[in-house]
Amino acid sequence: MKLRSNVKIVLFTLVFVLFSIMSVQAVTLEVMDSVIVESPEREALLQIIENFEEENPDITIDYQGVPMNDAYAQIPTLATSGALPDVYLATLDFIGTFEDMGIATDLRDVFSQEYLDGFNQNSLSELTVDGKVLAHPFFVIPMGVLYRIDWFEEKGLTPPETWEEFLDIANELTEDTNGDGSVDRWGFAMLASRDGSGGSRFIQIFRTFGGYELRLNDEGEYVTDVNTPQGRNAFEFFTELNTEHEVVPPGPMEVSYGEALNLMVTNKTAMMVTGPHSIGGIIERNPELDGKIGAFPLPMAQDGGKHISVLNTYGHAINPDSDKKEEAAKFLKFLVNDESALLWNEMTGRMPTRTGLLQSPEVQDRPDLAGFVEAMDYAEPLPTVSYYSTIMTDILPSAYQSIIVGQATVEEAAERAEERIISLIEEN
Amino acid sequence: MKSLFSLKTEHKYGYIFILPVAAVLGILIIYPLLYGFYISFFQTNLINRWNFVELENYINIFSGNSEFVNSIFVSIKFTSVVVLSHLVLGLLLAVILNKKNLPFKELFRSILMIPWFFPEVVVALLWRWIFNSMYGVFNYLLMNLNIIEDKITWLSSMRGAFFVVVFTAVWKGYPLILVMILAGLQSIPEELYEVAKIDGANSFQTFFYITLPNLRSVLLVSLILDTVWWFKNFPIVWLMTRGGPVNATNVVSIDIYQTAFQSFNFGKASASAVIVFFICLGIAMIYKSMITEEEM
């Protein structure tokens, strides 16, 4: 009898201890992100996570890194096997695919409308499909042109308004600086790689000529302007920077984002189309450039062109099958609160998405960000269709590459790109 | 039809013993193959859209200015050059390494095997930097030796990029052929060479009438493995050129990857993969038909 009661006590104690352990165990939130594999973004993010976990001891963040160019192969693969994490990165070029696959929670069901209204509406619209808010904006990287202030001052140059002025400046800055008879500094770090880094930058240059790679017409149907005079002018100008004017380093098709950044870091080039996120990376690798980097909005074509910038909003989607949506929402809100967003902005240059912070003196008064802040005035969203990534990473890069290598004329390349885009529109 | 229960005891044991292996093969090989074949008849994102489209995916990949057909030709060109180079290089080096009086034979064997030890990702990134237009060691060497005056943009020209990926694939893959041929050479009876010597055969005749015929089965098996391996190779070309510039190095595996993971057209990608499967199967069958029963 006594033995039985002892067994009961032991069992009760075990159950109690187990229950206690379970009740205090932190919920683990799985987050997949690409910025954590970059530097100095990693340090900034780890600091924010540490602050979050300190404030929320019941939630642990399990961060998984994935390079940006691989992310959108991994996410659908994980989705098909039901292994998606609770939270994962989402950007405008793939948000249509997320909607098509049904792998992003409509955040109107998670956050209040008042909270969502507090975001810069251009950035929110880049992550919205058919009225559904599919991702929580984390930061924006409005595209502009990064340039070397010291070299501009040396030559008495001022930021250009048009591409013609841009070309003059690029010519001026392309030179043999050590007098050995060969050019060792170029005006422009041209990204002509066949990937998202090259394609996304070209699209913005393309739009400054007045055309659209994909747009809705008056009948609400998608059409393309790649084979219009504006489109062909854009192809011609972009490729001639290499083939005719030689203001870019040799082998531009080998230059993706990393290589272009390297050209800026090693003082080989004076300008590069990119966003504020590059500033942190450049200065971290070459601290001597601190204070020597500035930005201006993308120039425009003289006839019928306009300044353009895409915000490139980077956000996070919540897995619709996750049972930790509440914790996910808490974490995402923490990422963009004043303290986190300012820390993030200060360390990485990536700009906040909350309207209040965008207007704050910490962001507005930073001289290196001034050009990007100005570029935000010209922000235009990209289409959020599921096949957009094919246009960005394959069709347009193939077109400009075929012109550069001389395989096709501008007209032939534009015609081929038009055919492929129309075929995509019809297929979808 | 006999059931398992009506079989003789020793037959039952036979089936029971092969059951685990058959199950593993079924799960890891047969099921994915059949599933891929099944997907090729759908327009699908593999999650919530499954539209049965009959043979539309197969028709699409061969219609108009098909990227797929172009990539098949690029793959055939790439594979032919790589496999032929492997064969010539592997055979040449194996014959040299098989010489009895070669000094430092073991050292040479180890050094020549080095490329095989590196993962393909490392090899691709290594050679990509060596051939880099701006910072590449290769251009630097050529300029210092006064062979070229200006830097060559190896990976930015269509011919240059094709040459570089072929070169890298040859460098990475020749050790496999070398080892297999070397093993084959060492299995040829020494007496045959002695008899040939007595009969007055020169080294040219010895090579073509004794060495090559005795290596026939080894060479054919090596060719099957090497051809199929390089026909569907992905990492080296993807990491070095991403299929570019334009479509100069756009081998079929890259085309399938882009269709699946950039366009998210899994049905069309599966249809392309099915075609590639049958091409590889055809190559293997052609080679296999050349091997006699005795040689196997």
Side-chain angles (χ1 to χ4, degrees):
Chain A
M1 194 71 181
K2 195 177 175 184
L3 183 72
R4 192 178 286 177
S5 69
N6 281 347
V7 170
K8 270 184 188 171
I9 290 167
V10 170
L11 274 176
F12 179 77
T13 315
L14 271 174
V15 169
F16 180 76
V17 169
L18 267 173
F19 183 76
S20 311
I21 291 169
M22 283 169 73
S23 63
V24 295
Q25 204 171 38
V27 171
T28 302
L29 192 70
E30 291 179 347
V31 181
M32 182 191 265
D33 216 324
S34 67
V35 283
I36 195 110
V37 298
E38 294 171 33
S39 185
E41 284 75 6
R42 180 180 172 79
E43 292 71 32
L45 205 51
L46 290 178
Q47 179 65 55
I48 294 170
I49 292 169
E50 197 182 317
N51 295 345
F52 175 77
E53 288 178 341
E54 213 168 89
E55 205 172 284
N56 299 275
D58 54 333
I59 304 174
T60 304
I61 305 296
D62 175 14
Y63 234 94
Q64 303 156 15
V66 57
M68 189 66 203
N69 280 334
D70 296 336
Y72 294 112
Q74 282 204 21
I75 291 173
T77 311
L78 290 170
T80 56
S81 56
L84 273 176
D86 302 299
V87 174
Y88 33 89
L89 68 147
T91 52
L92 79 162
D93 42 331
F94 283 92
I95 203 73
T97 306
F98 280 24
E99 163 64 359
D100 178 53
M101 291 184 161
I103 55 172
T105 304
D106 184 353
L107 298 185
R108 291 176 303 176
D109 301 334
V110 180
F111 300 103
S112 69
Q113 191 56 47
E114 192 190 354
Y115 175 75
L116 293 175
D117 288 343
F119 283 106
N120 171 287
Q121 290 305 294
N122 274 332
S123 76
L124 197 67
S125 74
E126 287 190 344
L127 303 176
T128 301
V129 181
D130 298 334
K132 295 180 196 165
V133 181
L134 298 179
H136 182 269
F138 177 24
F139 57 82
V140 289
I141 37 178
M143 284 281 163
V145 181
L146 211 64
Y147 75 104
R148 285 289 297 266
I149 298 172
D150 51 338
W151 292 351
F152 268 55
E153 283 174 356
E154 250 171 50
K155 302 261 178 193
L157 302 167
T158 52
E161 270 295 306
T162 64
W163 285 116
E164 285 74 8
E165 291 168 18
F166 173 90
L167 182 58
D168 290 342
I169 291 171
N171 269 317
E172 184 102 1
L173 290 168
T174 300
E175 58 185 341
D176 170 17
T177 58
N178 60 9
D180 70 348
S182 55
V183 173
D184 53 23
R185 188 178 80 184
W186 291 267
F188 182 48
M190 177 177 175
L191 278 92
S193 55
R194 191 184 171 181
D195 56 16
S197 299
S200 63
R201 282 164 176 81
F202 175 72
I203 280 172
Q204 294 172 67
I205 294 172
F206 184 89
R207 286 185 169 198
T208 61
F209 281 78
Y212 286 84
E213 72 298 339
L214 191 70
R215 64 177 170 85
L216 280 171
N217 66 10
D218 296 338
E219 284 83 48
E221 289 163 349
Y222 277 108
V223 289
T224 178
D225 297 330
V226 288
N227 197 21
T228 60
Q230 294 94 328
R232 290 192 291 271
N233 285 345
F235 278 120
E236 191 172 0
F237 175 80
F238 182 70
T239 53
E240 283 187 354
L241 288 172
N242 172 242
T243 56
E244 188 77 20
H245 309 295
E246 296 181 351
V247 293
V248 308
M253 284 174 283
E254 296 166 47
V255 179
S256 189
Y257 177 66
E259 289 80 12
L261 207 65
N262 210 32
L263 289 169
M264 293 296 288
V265 168
T266 54
N267 299 313
K268 293 281 182 202
T269 51
M271 295 182 280
M272 169 188 178
V273 173
T274 191
H277 61 302
S278 304
I279 298 172
I282 291 173
I283 291 168
E284 192 197 49
R285 288 155 69 186
N286 186 355
E288 284 181 10
L289 296 182
D290 197 5
K292 295 178 180 172
I293 302 281
F296 55 83
L298 278 172
M300 59 181 180
Q302 233 154 11
D303 303 319
K306 55 181 179 175
H307 291 301
I308 288 284
S309 181
V310 174
L311 291 182
N312 292 297
T313 308
Y314 184 104
H316 293 101
I318 299 179
N319 182 354
D321 296 329
S322 169
D323 54 0
K324 298 166 198 162
K325 288 195 183 75
E326 206 178 304
E327 289 83 359
K330 208 181 229 184
F331 175 64
L332 295 181
K333 269 187 165 181
F334 190 89
L335 273 183
V336 297
N337 72 21
D338 289 7
E339 192 189 342
S340 305
L342 286 177
L343 170 79
W344 178 252
N345 174 251
E346 193 191 330
M347 286 182 75
T348 70
R350 295 170 193 247
M351 291 163 71
T353 48
R354 303 293 289 171
T355 323
L357 276 176
L358 271 171
Q359 304 305 327
S360 69
E362 287 93 335
V363 176
Q364 293 282 330
D365 297 346
R366 265 184 70 169
D368 53 343
L369 294 185
F372 295 118
V373 171
E374 190 189 339
M376 286 186 77
D377 295 338
Y378 309 116
E380 278 190 4
L382 296 180
T384 51
V385 290
S386 60
Y387 52 89
Y388 194 70
S389 62
T390 308
I391 297 173
M392 182 188 279
T393 60
D394 181 18
I395 296 178
L396 294 178
S398 292
Y400 58 66
Q401 286 197 344
S402 65
I403 301 167
I404 292 172
V405 299
Q407 193 208 34
T409 61
V410 168
E411 289 73 22
E412 288 165 350
E415 198 178 323
R416 173 85 181 114
E418 184 187 39
E419 266 174 34
R420 292 185 67 194
I421 293 173
I422 289 172
S423 151
L424 264 184
I425 295 169
E426 285 169 358
E427 271 177 36
N428 289 276
Chain B
M1 192 177 156
K2 282 181 177 179
S3 74
L4 191 62
F5 298 103
S6 61
L7 289 171
K8 285 181 183 174
T9 313
E10 65 266 33
H11 287 172
K12 270 186 204 171
Y13 284 134
Y15 284 113
I16 289 167
F17 285 140
I18 65 160
L19 194 64
V21 177
V24 170
L25 282 176
I27 293 166
L28 297 182
I29 297 174
I30 309 294
Y31 171 71
L33 273 179
L34 294 178
Y35 188 60
F37 194 62
Y38 171 74
I39 290 170
S40 69
F41 297 106
F42 289 85
Q43 193 189 55
T44 175
N45 59 21
L46 299 182
I47 299 175
N48 56 5
R49 183 159 44 84
W50 289 89
N51 302 329
F52 182 65
V53 292
E54 299 174 354
L55 293 174
E56 198 181 299
N57 288 327
Y58 289 92
I59 294 164
N60 279 345
I61 59 176
F62 287 110
S63 63
N65 281 327
S66 169
E67 300 291 323
F68 176 76
V69 174
N70 175 57
S71 69
I72 288 281
F73 283 119
V74 175
S75 281
I76 290 172
K77 196 166 77 169
F78 172 76
T79 311
S80 310
V81 181
V82 170
V83 172
L84 194 68
S85 307
H86 281 167
L87 190 67
V88 172
L89 199 61
L91 191 61
L92 187 74
L93 292 171
V95 169
I96 295 170
L97 285 177
N98 198 41
K99 285 194 184 301
K100 279 186 183 149
N101 47 1
L102 183 76
F104 307 114
K105 197 194 282 189
E106 295 305 316
L107 178 71
F108 284 130
R109 264 187 207 179
S110 308
I111 291 172
L112 288 169
M113 283 306 292
I114 286 175
W116 191 249
F117 301 141
F118 285 112
E120 288 190 350
V121 173
V122 175
V123 171
L125 295 176
L126 190 77
W127 285 104
R128 196 176 86 173
W129 276 109
I130 289 173
F131 282 104
N132 183 279
S133 307
M134 281 287 292
Y135 308 105
V137 177
F138 197 62
N139 269 343
Y140 176 78
L141 283 175
L142 293 179
M143 287 178 89
N144 273 1
L145 293 170
N146 290 322
I147 295 172
I148 57 168
E149 278 183 12
D150 295 318
K151 287 170 178 168
I152 297 177
T153 54
W154 294 101
L155 291 162
S156 285
S157 71
M158 295 180 77
R159 281 187 184 170
F162 188 77
F163 164 77
V164 170
V165 292
V166 164
F167 176 85
T168 308
V170 171
W171 187 84
K172 167 72 182 131
Y174 80 84
L176 174 75
I177 305 296
L178 165 65
V179 168
M180 293 184 78
I181 294 176
L182 197 55
L185 283 174
Q186 286 169 357
S187 68
I188 300 173
E190 196 56 37
E191 294 80 25
L192 291 178
Y193 291 107
E194 284 166 11
V195 170
K197 204 173 174 184
I198 292 165
D199 287 346
N202 59 28
S203 32
F204 182 80
Q205 288 167 321
T206 309
F207 180 75
F208 279 97
Y209 293 109
I210 294 179
T211 308
L212 268 190
N214 279 287
L215 279 178
R216 193 180 135 87
S217 57
V218 172
L219 287 177
L220 285 170
V221 170
S222 309
L223 280 175
I224 293 175
L225 293 174
D226 209 37
T227 307
V228 172
W229 178 265
W230 289 104
F231 192 85
K232 59 186 180 51
N233 186 271
F234 176 77
I236 286 184
V237 186
W238 178 252
L239 287 169
M240 294 189 85
T241 63
R242 290 191 177 249
V246 199
N247 286 325
T249 58
N250 196 36
V251 290
V252 72
S253 52
I254 290 181
D255 185 72
I256 293 173
Y257 175 83
Q258 287 180 322
T259 307
F261 294 109
Q262 282 180 359
S263 306
F264 300 104
N265 195 339
F266 294 104
K268 193 173 168 186
S270 293
S272 304
V274 168
I275 304 287
V276 172
F277 169 75
F278 281 111
I279 290 173
C280 289
L281 193 68
I283 293 168
M285 285 171 78
I286 291 169
Y287 281 136
K288 196 170 171 285
S289 68
M290 293 160 79
I291 307 174
T292 59
E293 276 298 314
E294 296 81 53
E295 284 173 327
M296 288 176 82

